[in-house]
Amino acid sequence: MICYDTVGRNSPIWSCASCFSIFHLPCIRKWARSPTSSDLSAPASRNAFEGNWRCPGCQAVQLISADELHYYCFCGQIEEPSLDYYITPHSCGGPCRKLLDRGKNGRCKHHCTMQCHPGPCPPCMALAPPQSCPCGKNTFILKCSEQDKGASTCFQPCGRALDCGRHVCNQLCHEGACNPCEVVVSAKCFCGRQQEGMLCGQLDPPGEMDWSMGVFSCELDCGRVLPCGQHHCLEKCHPGSCGECMLSPSVICTCPCGKKTVAELLGPGVSRRNCTDPVPTCLEACGKLLPCQKHLCQKLCHTGPCPPCEIPVEQKCRCGASARTVACYIAVHKGNNEDKLEDSDKVLFLCDRKCGKKKNCGRHRCSERCCSGANEEVQVEQSDSENSHLCTLPCGKRLRCKQHDCHALCHAGHCPPCLETTFTELSCACGQTAIPPPVPCGTPFPSCQYPCSVPQVCGHEVTHLCHFGDCPPCTVPVAKECVGNHVVLRGVPCGSRDIKCNKLCGKTRQCGLHACARTCHVGPCDVEAETVGQKQISCNQPCGAPRRDCPHTCSAICHPTSACPEIPCKVTVSITCICGRLTAEVPCDSGGPGNHGLSESATMALSRLAVPLQPLEGRQRERVPLGRRKLACDEECAKLEKKRLLADAFSATAPGEVGLGLEGGIVGSEMLMEIARRDPQWVASIEDRFKYLLLGPKNGPGASLRLHVFCALAIEKREAIHLMGERWGLTVTGFGREPRRFVVAHVTTKSKLPARSLFSKGPVLPLAGQARQPPFDPLVDMDPGLVVALLDLPRDADVSTLVLRFGGECELVWLNDRNALAIFSDAARAATALRRVDHSSVYRGAAGMPPPRGSSVLRGGLHATSMAGAKPPLLSKGMQDSNWVEDAWSDEQRSLKQEMGAWQRNALPITTKNPWATLGQVNHQSEGSSSSSKLPLPASSSEAPSIKNRASSAGVVGSKQAAISSSATILQSQTLDGSDDDWEKALEEGGL
């Protein structure tokens, strides 16, 4: 207990005299000196704080110091006994001689005769002196160790005389005193008027009695005739004679007040002869103490009892809050308690004041009228049993066992523990661990160390212990899919439910137009997942549909059953002056009912402008919104414009422009300068695409909006494209979300050529129409197979097919009210949209088509064969298969062929309406809108197999970009003859 070493034969030991535990002598000395073993409640005889320690085995206090502990044998006769292998270790080998009876009675005087031994001595087996039974009729001889148990009875009637002295004990021979006499006797009272049956043990005195004289008092008036023969005894029923008459002349010697004798009042020679003679009275005041015990009788000396006290006194109510003046005999004193009323003439005075004090439980308040507990003086005199504020309601609280209620009176503090006990075994859930009866109420179930016996639902091995109730979830790590079916998470506990990822839900809302923007969640995306009849319900998300009059989106709450509201656009935009030096933030203000005049927000913003707007001419003043207006240039703008013209004329750097290695740079474009120094080839490729947008061919369908889509780039490169677009006057807009955010650049009416290239040693910009189309670069350009163009849309065009069928697979980019792009992540789905969506066309950017497998494309241009003027056959075929027409902006015949796509030659024109009402009334229709008419194009049936064979001979595409482009080319080639309209089947036949 204080060490873990084995006690050997040669080890000095110490044995406790109480529990007989054996310890090493050094260990027990160390324990006796430690502070943790001390017991200050039992000080030692020598030193109150030294020889005072507890035995480690039985915690018995040892009144001996550590220094006085020595090595003795078990009997304590020999110190340091010698080692002998033939006897018990640590034994002296002699007789024990310990006193066998260590009890308090001291009956056994024998000693232990065994050899010196450890542990307690056996009980004494010697015979004790003879003992008689309790009644004394028989004698028994017992062992010495059995004397404490008492002698056995003889099982005969006791026969001893009872305390009444009149009967004997009829019980069997027993120990202890006999019970009181329970014999019922018939007894009468002293006056003889009542007779009752009473227990003999209750009658006094003990011994023989004269039953005819009566044995108890009936508490009634005696009523027996006195010896005078004229009066009756007025005392209560009493034993013995009644005594002499109280009016006898020998008893009455004075007047009733006791101030004068009868002889003085009657005169000499006159006396009272019998008890019937009147008692003379004097002429003085009575002076006796009245029953009120406060006043004296003021009437003249009189016979009989004194009249009630009529002295007026102040009587307080029971609670002591009110008082009144009444006759003394009516007033009630000493606590104003009903129990103190002795006469019916005395009336208890009660006021109407409610007590309101808390009772002894501290929970309830006293509602008694004129409560005596409110009077502090009376409350001091009352005992606990008479306390009027003792709450007599039952407690009724739930005990700690949670099964029974407290039946005691309402009290303060905690309820006592539950005293209920069950005599059934309390076992665990599996039954292998149990607590035997009796079990106190509230005992918790035993803790079982065996595994749970209930098998897991999932089939894994049980890993938790026995328990009650439902099993905890399984903790075995497994792979599970999130609730939104987005990703599969690994290492998730098997029992986990409702696993959520950090991706957006993306499910279609109840409106049928929007995707759920919440993070992966449980349950339906909408509270009301049903539709009212056949009508769609709003999803309460922002509409997001492109507006008809501006590039912004509708900010109203989703309204699937109605058109977007005709209200002015409130999006804040920046307007500048013509030179771009002055800027201001104003609301867009496009749209609205009638589209005439400015709205209230636009009028307020106009009043806060620091500079005026550029004036408009003619009827444009009523139709141009505030977001498309220009600020009027001031004198400083004119000075800067003049300096720039002079600098362009003399080929110098204009003041305020940065020229460190760059010419014509933009003010503050330090990031553009850094990218130009770090990656000049990438900057040159961006300039080549801008150059081709401005100087390339301008004929062909869709030429009214020349654009180019760049691939997903880093944020610094996107900002560089924005800065370069400002230099070229192009509109550059970012779309998408990180990390797939991309930019789209398109030509506007304000686009112009810069004076020179960004690089000082670069070539001079060619004239219009002489720019060469740059080759496709996957690090710069978006794959054309992923882009579906919706250009020059007519006013009655409908894009609901694209939104409803491909809404979750593409991103719809609106460039203006008549031109849009659909960016896909899968080339196969893009090819399907190209066939299914009305008014769709092939996207043609500023870069060439991506080369198929087997062609080598350099960063700066095509292969040497293509540079010499010969077009690679695979590249040409890839351009033919994808319906791409080289120099389509200048070749009218090929533009007509492009308009009549081979995959649409069998498609019928479908006329639908725009549900978002984003396509407004257009006064004139662009010539390029004829590309959506889908005119049929005759094609030979033998051309499709040849194209299919050439495409399949390219083999497996090596890179991801080439695979996407090739899949789009194969899909288009499969549909040239109109015999295969399934893109999945086309992919399988194409070998992808």
Side-chain angles (χ1 to χ4, degrees):
M1 285 174 277
I2 57 177
C3 68
Y4 294 97
D5 294 340
T6 305
V7 179
R9 288 177 175 269
N10 299 330
S11 303
I13 64 167
W14 176 83
S15 178
C16 177
S18 299
C19 64
F20 305 101
S21 299
I22 299 175
F23 303 94
H24 294 99
L25 186 61
C27 296
I28 200 64
R29 285 177 177 173
K30 184 178 180 181
W31 168 259
R33 293 189 183 99
S34 64
T36 57
S37 66
S38 61
D39 185 9
L40 300 180
S41 61
S45 58
R46 302 181 184 178
N47 194 330
F49 299 97
E50 183 178 359
N52 180 17
W53 51 278
R54 296 171 290 104
C55 171
C58 62
Q59 304 298 315
V61 179
Q62 307 293 327
L63 301 179
I64 184 173
S65 64
D67 298 334
E68 296 177 352
L69 295 174
H70 298 285
Y71 176 36
Y72 284 92
C73 64
F74 293 113
C75 64
Q77 300 180 33
I78 298 178
E79 183 177 1
E80 296 184 0
S82 60
L83 177 62
D84 190 349
Y85 290 95
Y86 294 97
I87 61 177
T88 304
H90 310 290
S91 174
C92 63
C96 179
R97 296 188 180 182
K98 290 182 181 178
L99 191 63
L100 293 178
D101 185 12
R102 295 190 177 185
K104 298 181 180 179
N105 51 14
R107 295 182 180 179
C108 182
K109 305 298 182 182
H110 305 98
H111 297 271
C112 181
T113 58
M114 293 180 61
Q115 190 183 37
C116 181
H117 61 88
C121 296
C124 182
M125 303 302 293
L127 295 177
Q131 293 183 358
S132 60
C133 66
C135 65
K137 296 179 181 179
N138 296 321
T139 303
F140 298 94
I141 298 176
L142 302 175
K143 293 181 180 180
C144 188
S145 59
E146 297 178 354
Q147 295 183 88
D148 295 339
K149 300 181 180 178
S152 301
T153 62
C154 62
F155 299 101
Q156 296 181 8
C158 179
R160 289 181 288 183
L162 298 177
D163 295 338
C164 64
R166 294 179 289 271
H167 303 91
V168 295
C169 180
N170 296 324
Q171 295 182 352
L172 297 180
C173 180
H174 60 86
E175 295 182 359
C178 297
N179 297 331
C181 182
E182 297 181 353
V183 178
V184 179
V185 296
S186 178
K188 64 178 180 179
C189 63
F190 297 112
C191 64
R193 285 183 290 183
Q194 290 187 4
Q195 187 173 358
E196 297 179 358
M198 302 181 64
L199 296 178
C200 180
Q202 298 178 355
L203 300 178
D204 292 327
E208 296 297 334
M209 298 181 61
D210 187 4
W211 301 99
S212 61
M213 299 301 295
V215 295
F216 68 94
S217 175
C218 64
E219 300 300 329
L220 298 176
D221 294 339
C222 180
R224 288 184 287 186
V225 180
L226 296 176
C228 65
Q230 300 295 329
H231 301 95
H232 296 79
C233 180
L234 299 179
E235 295 181 4
K236 300 296 182 182
C237 180
H238 58 87
S241 60
C242 295
E244 192 175 0
C245 180
M246 297 302 296
L247 297 178
S248 176
S250 60
V251 176
I252 298 177
C253 299
T254 61
C255 65
C257 66
K259 296 179 181 179
K260 291 185 179 182
T261 63
V262 175
E264 293 178 358
L265 295 176
L266 294 178
V270 180
S271 62
R272 295 180 65 249
R273 297 183 179 274
N274 50 41
C275 61
T276 57
D277 293 340
V279 179
T281 59
C282 65
L283 299 178
E284 296 183 8
C286 177
K288 293 180 181 179
L289 187 63
L290 295 176
C292 67
Q293 302 296 323
K294 289 185 177 181
H295 308 102
L296 301 177
C297 181
Q298 301 298 327
K299 290 187 176 183
L300 296 178
C301 180
H302 59 87
T303 58
C306 296
C309 182
E310 297 289 345
I311 298 176
V313 295
E314 183 182 9
Q315 181 188 17
K316 287 189 176 182
C317 66
R318 187 167 57 177
C319 66
S322 303
R324 66 176 180 176
T325 302
V326 293
C328 183
Y329 76 94
I330 298 178
V332 180
H333 303 283
K334 296 184 180 181
N336 299 329
N337 199 327
E338 295 91 342
D339 297 337
K340 302 296 180 71
L341 294 176
E342 299 178 356
D343 300 333
S344 58
D345 294 338
K346 296 184 178 181
V347 179
L348 184 65
F349 175 39
L350 300 177
C351 66
D352 296 333
R353 179 175 175 267
K354 287 188 178 182
C355 179
K357 284 189 175 182
K358 283 189 176 181
K359 296 187 177 182
N360 63 337
C361 63
R363 298 170 55 190
H364 306 102
R365 293 184 178 273
C366 179
S367 60
E368 188 176 355
R369 184 171 62 91
C370 193
C371 178
S372 60
N375 193 341
E376 297 180 358
E377 298 178 358
V378 178
Q379 194 172 6
V380 172
E381 298 178 1
Q382 290 178 343
S383 60
D384 294 339
S385 59
E386 298 178 352
N387 186 9
S388 59
H389 285 166
L390 177 65
C391 187
T392 57
L393 297 175
C395 177
K397 292 182 181 178
R398 198 60 128 181
L399 297 178
R400 296 181 183 178
C401 64
K402 307 298 182 183
Q403 297 180 6
H404 304 95
D405 297 334
C406 180
H407 297 292
L409 294 179
C410 190
H411 56 86
H414 296 289
C415 295
C418 183
L419 301 179
E420 299 289 337
T421 303
T422 58
F423 292 91
T424 57
E425 188 180 67
L426 186 64
S427 60
C428 63
C430 64
Q432 301 185 49
T433 306
I435 299 176
V439 180
C441 185
T443 303
F445 288 98
S447 58
C448 182
Q449 301 301 323
Y450 295 95
C452 180
S453 58
V454 180
Q456 294 280 3
V457 180
C458 57
H460 293 133
E461 185 179 356
V462 176
T463 58
H464 55 275
L465 299 178
C466 175
H467 64 93
F468 285 94
D470 298 334
C471 292
C474 181
T475 58
V476 177
V478 295
K480 282 199 170 187
E481 192 175 14
C482 66
V483 295
N485 301 328
H486 302 130
V487 295
V488 176
L489 303 177
R490 301 186 182 275
V492 179
C494 178
S496 299
R497 299 290 183 269
D498 300 337
I499 304 171
K500 304 175 185 178
C501 63
N502 57 356
K503 294 186 178 182
L504 297 179
C505 176
K507 297 179 182 178
T508 305
R509 300 291 297 273
Q510 60 185 0
C511 62
L513 301 176
H514 299 105
C516 181
R518 296 166 55 189
T519 311
C520 183
H521 61 89
V522 183
C525 300
D526 300 283
V527 179
E528 299 178 359
E530 302 178 355
T531 57
V532 180
Q534 299 297 330
K535 297 183 179 180
Q536 294 173 316
I537 303 177
S538 173
C539 64
N540 295 326
Q541 289 185 191
C543 176
R547 295 177 62 88
R548 180 179 60 186
D549 303 307
C550 64
H552 305 124
T553 58
C554 177
S555 60
I557 300 300
C558 176
H559 44 88
T561 58
S562 60
C564 293
E566 294 290 340
I567 58 175
C569 182
K570 298 181 180 179
V571 178
T572 303
V573 297
S574 297
I575 59 175
T576 62
C577 60
I578 296 179
C579 64
R581 189 183 71 87
L582 301 176
T583 60
E585 300 290 335
V586 296
C588 177
D589 201 44
S590 299
N595 199 12
H596 296 290
L598 298 177
S599 62
E600 295 181 2
S601 59
T603 305
M604 295 178 61
L606 186 61
S607 63
R608 293 193 296 266
L609 292 178
V611 294
L613 296 175
Q614 185 177 3
L616 299 176
E617 298 179 358
R619 299 180 180 179
Q620 295 181 354
R621 182 179 303 176
E622 298 180 356
R623 294 195 300 268
V624 178
L626 183 59
R628 299 182 185 178
R629 298 285 297 274
K630 289 292 183 179
L631 297 173
C633 291
D634 54 2
E635 296 179 358
E636 187 66 24
C637 295
K639 293 179 182 180
L640 293 177
E641 181 66 17
K642 184 176 181 181
K643 291 180 181 180
R644 191 185 66 79
L645 293 176
L646 290 176
D648 291 345
F650 292 99
S651 300
T653 302
E657 294 185 349
V658 182
L660 298 176
L662 302 173
E663 291 188 359
I666 303 174
V667 178
S669 58
E670 298 180 359
M671 183 183 65
L672 182 60
M673 296 163 47
E674 180 64 24
I675 294 178
R677 293 190 186 98
R678 189 169 64 245
D679 195 355
Q681 190 175 3
W682 181 84
V683 176
S685 64
I686 301 300
E687 257 194 350
D688 291 343
R689 283 148 180 79
F690 288 173
K691 185 191 309 179
Y692 189 78
L693 286 178
L694 285 177
L695 304 178
K698 298 179 175 58
N699 298 328
S704 60
L705 183 65
R706 288 169 288 167
L707 56 92
H708 184 74
V709 182
F710 294 91
C711 64
L713 300 171
I715 184 172
E716 58 177 5
K717 290 190 176 182
R718 296 200 304 267
E719 293 180 0
I721 295 177
H722 277 279
L723 295 176
M724 296 174 66
E726 292 180 7
R727 190 169 178 270
W728 287 75
L730 301 176
T731 299
V732 181
T733 311
F735 300 97
R737 297 182 179 179
E738 297 291 350
R740 297 183 179 181
R741 189 168 177 81
F742 59 92
V743 294
V744 178
H746 63 89
V747 180
T748 63
T749 56
K750 300 179 182 178
S751 301
K752 61 180 179 178
L753 297 175
R756 59 189 58 81
S757 173
L758 281 174
F759 301 94
S760 58
K761 297 182 180 180
V764 180
L765 295 177
L767 298 177
Q770 298 180 1
R772 180 180 294 275
Q773 185 179 20
F776 174 80
D777 189 351
L779 300 179
V780 178
D781 308 313
M782 178 75 74
D783 189 353
L786 302 177
V787 184
V788 176
L790 303 170
L791 304 178
D792 297 333
L793 295 174
R795 61 183 180 181
D796 57 347
D798 184 12
V799 293
S800 60
T801 304
L802 178 65
V803 174
L804 297 178
R805 183 170 181 178
F806 306 97
E809 306 176 21
C810 69
E811 183 163 355
L812 185 62
V813 176
W814 285 91
L815 304 176
N816 51 36
D817 57 347
R818 299 185 60 191
N819 298 277
L821 296 175
I823 311 299
F824 286 80
S825 59
D826 187 2
R829 299 300 290 168
T832 303
L834 194 63
R835 299 196 314 269
R836 302 294 186 187
V837 179
D838 299 338
H839 312 291
S840 61
S841 60
V842 178
Y843 157 72
R844 292 170 293 183
M849 288 296 295
R853 182 179 181 270
S855 63
S856 59
V857 181
L858 301 178
R859 180 79 180 264
L862 297 176
H863 195 264
T865 57
S866 63
M867 294 295 292
K871 185 179 299 183
L874 289 179
L875 179 60
S876 302
K877 186 59 184 173
M879 298 169 69
Q880 180 180 359
D881 292 346
S882 62
N883 209 18
W884 175 269
V885 181
E886 186 179 7
D887 296 337
W889 287 346
S890 61
D891 195 346
E892 297 180 358
Q893 296 179 355
R894 293 186 178 183
S895 66
L896 180 60
K897 183 179 179 180
Q898 169 66 24
E899 295 175 7
M900 298 179 295
W903 53 83
Q904 295 178 352
R905 63 188 184 90
N906 293 332
L908 296 176
I910 300 176
T911 303
T912 58
K913 294 183 180 180
N914 187 356
W916 285 342
T918 56
L919 305 178
Q921 301 293 335
V922 182
N923 295 332
H924 62 280
Q925 184 175 0
S926 176
E927 297 177 358
S929 62
S930 60
S931 61
S932 61
S933 59
K934 314 299 182 189
L935 297 178
L937 177 63
S940 61
S941 60
S942 61
E943 184 179 358
S946 62
I947 293 176
K948 177 178 179 181
N949 295 333
R950 292 181 184 180
S952 61
S953 64
V956 180
V957 180
S959 63
K960 182 177 180 180
Q961 298 291 342
I964 297 175
S965 301
S966 300
S967 62
T969 304
I970 292 172
L971 288 173
Q972 296 170 6
S973 64
Q974 289 288 336
T975 57
L976 288 176
D977 56 352
S979 61
D980 193 354
D981 196 28
D982 190 358
W983 62 272
E984 292 86 352
K985 183 177 180 181
L987 282 176
E988 295 177 359
E989 294 180 0
L992 295 179

